Amino acid sequence: MSISPYIKDIGRGTKGARSLTREQAADLMGKLLDGQVSDLELGAFCIAMRFKGESAQELAGFLDATQQRLPAWPSASTAIPVVVLPSYNGARKLPNLVPLLAALLARQGLPVLVHGCDTEDKRVSTGAVWQQLGWPVLQKPAPLAAGQMAWMQTRHLLPSLERLLQVRRQIGLRNPTHSIVKLLNPLYGPGTAVAAQRSLLLASYTHPDYAHPMAETLALHSANALLLRGTEGEAVAAPNREPASLGLIDGQICFERSAVHSSQLSSQAAGDEPAAPELPLGLSAAQTAQRIEAMLAGTLAIPAPITQQIAQIQAMHRAVYQPGAEAMAQVQSFHRCPD
């Protein structure tokens, strides 16, 4: 079936375009993922959505269709909530410290799944850094135990999703799947025992305009998530600035935290710990891996904003794993209003 009726609604320009319902968006994305549209229709969809922008209902519907097509994810015997870290932007200027974040979380005993793929050639991807580090890679869903971390390529989750992401190389524009993957939790696919395998998603946005629709989409999906303005689009705090962040548990906002520069973090910190050094720009995957190894070995300081992010994730993970008034109070203590 043609998707031209949907394109007609979303492609009428900035004033005439109409957003799709959640059900319509799910139907449309399902057709795209199942390869039921022509290349011409696919290009028209990408350009029309790029002009219009995605509503929260559309994102929720696109995400519905995507998660319905994921493979079932087996639960670990201990059912400790897994931290899910989508990584699709890579780094062009600052070092890509997504692997560092994953390793630090694993050190705290949390299972961590990082998923992603490259969609352009001029950035240092998490996959490339991960390969340099020689860390574990998954090619099919597998249970993750406490303290275990793994990288998984998108094509091993859903090949058709990666194909839609790669359309960017042909037309030069991102499309809604680039937002969807940042909200994608592979542990919530069909057949997965959700009650036994709860998880915590680390989601990110690049442009402030995406903060509200992404937060609303996570709420519509009753997600446990930490949403932040990422470093070059990645869900890791920048070395010199703690990003604005939003915590949700079961889709309900539990804290909102304004951004703050690392100089303020240093002045607020207790003790005389040395500040993290300025990180060089434009590092290769191999150079980035070397710096991450040095940080993990303690010969280079870990940036304060990442340390703060770890604390937020730990508190949220505890509230998801062992819910209660005390755990929720700790999460809510991270609330900080804008100046």
Side-chain angles (χ1 to χ4, degrees):
M1 176 182 173
S2 171
I3 62 169
S4 59
Y6 295 140
I7 296 174
K8 184 177 179 180
D9 284 336
I10 64 179
R12 290 181 177 272
T14 54
K15 294 184 179 180
R18 182 182 70 83
S19 291
L20 304 178
T21 66
R22 182 171 179 173
E23 293 74 20
Q24 289 173 325
D27 180 59
L28 171 55
M29 182 56 66
K31 288 179 169 58
L32 293 172
L33 290 170
D34 294 343
Q36 297 178 3
V37 303
S38 67
D39 290 345
L40 180 61
E41 289 175 311
L42 174 58
F45 163 75
C46 292
I47 293 173
M49 288 301 300
R50 184 60 171 162
F51 274 99
K52 187 186 81 66
E54 306 98 336
S55 70
Q57 289 290 329
E58 287 171 332
L59 285 173
F62 294 153
L63 189 56
D64 289 339
T66 304
Q67 293 191 160
Q68 287 165 8
R69 287 160 175 78
L70 293 173
W73 198 282
S75 300
S77 57
T78 54
I80 299 175
V82 176
V83 178
V84 177
L85 182 47
S87 180
Y88 288 83
N89 281 54
R92 183 168 49 203
K93 298 177 182 178
L94 293 170
N96 183 347
L97 297 183
V98 170
L100 173 67
L101 176 62
L104 292 172
L105 291 170
R107 275 189 174 181
Q108 298 301 318
L110 309 186
V112 183
L113 172 66
V114 188
H115 66 85
C117 68
D118 302 344
T119 58
E120 55 180 297
D121 299 322
K122 295 183 179 180
R123 290 173 176 257
V124 176
S125 69
T126 296
V129 178
W130 201 277
Q131 183 178 20
Q132 289 288 332
L133 290 162
W135 290 352
V137 175
L138 293 179
Q139 294 189 354
K140 62 180 181 179
L144 292 168
Q148 183 180 2
M149 61 179 180
W151 161 265
M152 193 170 191
Q153 188 86 5
T154 311
R155 66 173 178 268
H156 297 307
L157 287 170
L158 188 59
S160 59
L161 179 60
E162 182 160 341
R163 284 197 294 271
L164 289 178
L165 291 167
Q166 298 305 335
V167 171
R168 181 176 187 171
R169 295 182 187 272
Q170 280 74 51
I171 66 174
L173 296 173
R174 67 184 299 281
N175 62 68
T177 55
H178 292 266
S179 296
I180 293 306
V181 290
K182 293 185 176 184
L183 301 170
L184 185 62
N185 186 343
L187 278 68
Y188 280 73
T192 299
V194 177
Q197 187 70 74
R198 305 192 77 194
S199 52
L200 176 63
L201 176 72
L202 306 186
S204 66
Y205 58 90
T206 305
H207 304 290
D209 289 346
Y210 279 89
H212 179 72
M214 291 183 79
E216 190 174 341
T217 302
L218 291 168
L220 289 169
H221 274 260
S222 301
N224 303 309
L226 177 65
L227 175 64
L228 67 149
R229 188 173 185 184
T231 304
E232 299 190 70
E234 292 288 0
V236 61
N240 62 345
R241 185 176 181 83
E242 184 194 323
S245 57
L246 178 77
L248 300 98
I249 293 182
D250 294 328
Q252 300 296 313
I253 296 175
C254 51
F255 75 88
E256 294 184 65
R257 190 170 177 87
S258 59
V260 62
H261 194 273
S262 61
S263 60
Q264 295 173 269
L265 284 175
S266 299
S267 65
Q268 296 167 4
D272 297 318
E273 295 182 3
E278 289 293 326
L279 296 180
L281 303 180
L283 294 180
S284 67
Q287 291 169 325
T288 302
Q290 290 172 357
R291 295 193 73 88
I292 288 174
E293 289 176 326
M295 290 180 184
L296 292 173
T299 56
L300 282 179
I302 296 168
I306 294 180
T307 301
Q308 177 60 240
Q309 184 183 6
I310 294 289
Q312 293 178 28
I313 295 168
Q314 285 182 286
M316 291 194 67
H317 188 274
R318 191 175 301 111
V320 170
Y321 188 32
Q322 299 174 323
E326 184 178 348
M328 183 58 71
Q330 185 176 5
V331 170
Q332 292 171 338
S333 70
F334 287 103
H335 182 79
R336 181 176 61 212
C337 294
D339 295 333

